[in-house]
Amino acid sequence: MIEQSFGSSTPWSLGIEEEVLILDGGSFALAPGVEALVAASEGKPLPGVLKMELLASMVELATDVCATPQEALAALRALRAAADDGAMANGLRVAAAGTHPFSLPEVQDIAPDPRYREFVEYAGVSARRQAVCGLHVHVGMPGPEECMHALEGVLPWLPLLLALSANSPYLAGEETGLASARAEVLAMLPRAAAPPVFGSYAEWEAFVERFVRIGLADGYTRFWWDIRPHPHFGTLEIRSPDQPTAVELTAAFAALLQALCVTVLDGDPPAPANRGDYAQNRWAALRFGPRAELIHPDGERLVSVPELAGELLALVDPAVEELGTDELLRTLDPQSCEGDRQLEVGRESGLEAVAADVSNRTVRSA
């Protein structure tokens, strides 16, 4: 049995993980500085931690449990500031985005953690290409079955979140033609994109334990789905958005997902989401971002991203009112995404300017 902590925290509590790039302070190329940043943060009274990620040129900023998105926003500002302090002290910079515009992913150093090195040996080039950063939002769940119900209710809306958050138009020095190159790269991993349909929490648990038993995984965190239960934290973990540059957008996406979970669990358990529609919508979102046309969750029509965003905001409005997060959601602009800014800067001034601009906005927003 997998140890679980559902219901142990304040209802709808949040934990947020931001994956942030580490850059050389002069060239703005990726630089393997995670050990220096983590060491610089140790012993400081921070509302969370700095942790290693797969690559040594990335750092994870993980908040403590937060009661509200506003508390999470304050925590992330403090964690970004701590990461920036540690970076500047070592001739480095930090930059929050879905991908780096010009550094080659395959040549980056792997973080000095045996589990990461074992994973790279197993997954090969599909692991080495994972120089991509996403936003992970944990929403506290009252129980395991409620977590599975929320998963099915939230899943159809995740391509919309990906489209709104798209922030990775460049990869390895190329304008990819994708709004989210990160989402395409992430789908190369085993056990990625949408999870299978599970009839209950027990079915999910048995699925994970079978993969562990036959030697394919050492735990449920080795399932890189866009959304998954996280029983240790007692949360539903949503992993689909690109990493925002503006910390205010991180808070907006967290507030939207929190309100969506509340809305879903306020009604009857939803039917399983259509995985075929999800695959199509995920592709459309990563390709076109806010210009995508998505299959409506009812499965019967195509809708534009701005139209569907308006429908989602109307759906969650009662929960937003109850939670007091309406001001945070005003940051969202369904007509554009942060990747649009990257393309504008890159086409005008080049890819080093893109990296510099992302880095400056990462710290300024903190």
Side-chain angles (χ1 to χ4, degrees):
M1 298 291 289
I2 298 173
E3 182 181 352
Q4 57 172 275
S5 302
F6 294 108
S8 62
S9 61
T10 305
W12 322 119
S13 59
L14 293 168
I16 298 179
E17 298 160 351
E18 291 195 308
E19 295 174 337
V20 176
L21 300 167
I22 303 170
L23 312 184
D24 178 84
S27 68
F28 293 98
L30 288 175
V34 68
E35 289 180 279
L37 267 65
V38 170
S41 70
E42 290 175 349
K44 292 185 176 180
L46 295 172
V49 295
L50 274 62
K51 299 164 58 178
M52 288 187 185
E53 256 299 335
L54 175 66
L55 300 182
S57 50
M58 296 164 57
V59 63
E60 181 181 292
L61 315 181
T63 71
D64 293 335
V65 177
C66 300
T68 66
Q70 291 90 340
E71 183 183 339
L73 175 58
L76 288 169
R77 283 184 166 136
L79 291 171
R80 286 195 184 197
D84 179 55
D85 288 345
M88 295 294 284
N90 288 277
L92 302 167
R93 303 283 295 270
V94 291
T99 54
H100 188 275
F102 62 83
S103 289
L104 299 178
E106 293 91 339
V107 302
Q108 302 307 312
D109 292 349
I110 304 302
D113 183 318
R115 292 180 75 238
Y116 290 141
R117 297 185 185 280
E118 290 169 10
F119 173 61
V120 171
E121 185 176 344
Y122 167 68
V125 68
S126 63
R128 285 204 161 269
R129 287 176 176 165
Q130 298 301 313
V132 296
C133 297
L135 171 65
H136 301 171
V137 177
H138 291 259
V139 182
M141 291 285 119
E145 297 306 329
E146 289 90 343
C147 183
M148 303 309 292
H149 295 162
L151 186 156
E152 291 299 335
V154 169
L155 184 65
W157 299 97
L158 293 187
L160 174 64
L161 269 290
L162 175 60
L164 295 174
S165 69
N167 195 24
S168 51
Y170 293 107
L171 184 66
E174 299 290 339
E175 184 177 322
T176 63
L178 305 176
S180 174
R182 167 197 156 267
E184 183 187 51
V185 170
L186 200 64
M188 297 174 64
L189 292 176
R191 305 179 291 280
V197 175
F198 298 108
S200 66
Y201 178 83
E203 281 190 18
W204 169 83
E205 188 175 47
F207 184 91
V208 169
E209 289 180 336
R210 180 170 60 88
F211 271 59
V212 172
R213 186 174 66 252
I214 64 179
L216 282 172
D218 62 6
Y220 62 83
T221 59
R222 294 297 193 172
F223 293 74
W224 294 279
W225 296 319
D226 292 341
I227 185 170
R228 67 187 185 189
H230 203 305
H232 177 70
F233 293 148
T235 63
L236 178 65
E237 182 186 3
I238 299 108
R239 305 159 48 84
S240 62
D242 273 11
Q243 173 58 51
T245 301
V247 73
E248 297 84 1
L249 271 176
T250 291
F253 290 127
L256 182 57
L257 288 166
Q258 181 194 45
L260 180 55
C261 287
V262 171
T263 301
V264 168
L265 291 180
D266 192 42
D268 295 330
N274 187 308
R275 267 51 176 183
D277 288 3
Y278 184 84
Q280 168 61 33
N281 281 349
R282 188 183 191 278
W283 179 85
L286 73 85
R287 168 68 176 94
F288 298 109
R291 271 72 60 186
E293 286 196 322
L294 304 177
I295 302 172
H296 190 278
D298 66 18
E300 296 302 320
R301 53 199 169 98
L302 287 178
V303 289
S304 69
V305 164
E307 181 183 350
L308 192 59
E311 189 169 327
L312 176 58
L313 289 169
L315 175 69
V316 302
D317 186 62
V320 168
E321 189 85 13
E322 177 188 338
L323 294 163
T325 55
D326 55 321
E327 187 173 342
L328 293 176
L329 293 180
R330 294 191 188 118
T331 306
L332 296 176
D333 178 6
Q335 304 289 337
S336 66
C337 62
E338 287 188 299
D340 295 341
R341 166 70 177 258
Q342 288 198 42
L343 290 171
E344 181 182 336
V345 172
R347 290 166 180 171
E348 181 175 329
S349 304
L351 298 188
E352 185 176 315
V354 174
D357 180 66
V358 168
S359 180
N360 290 335
R361 290 189 293 118
T362 297
V363 176
R364 190 164 62 241
S365 68

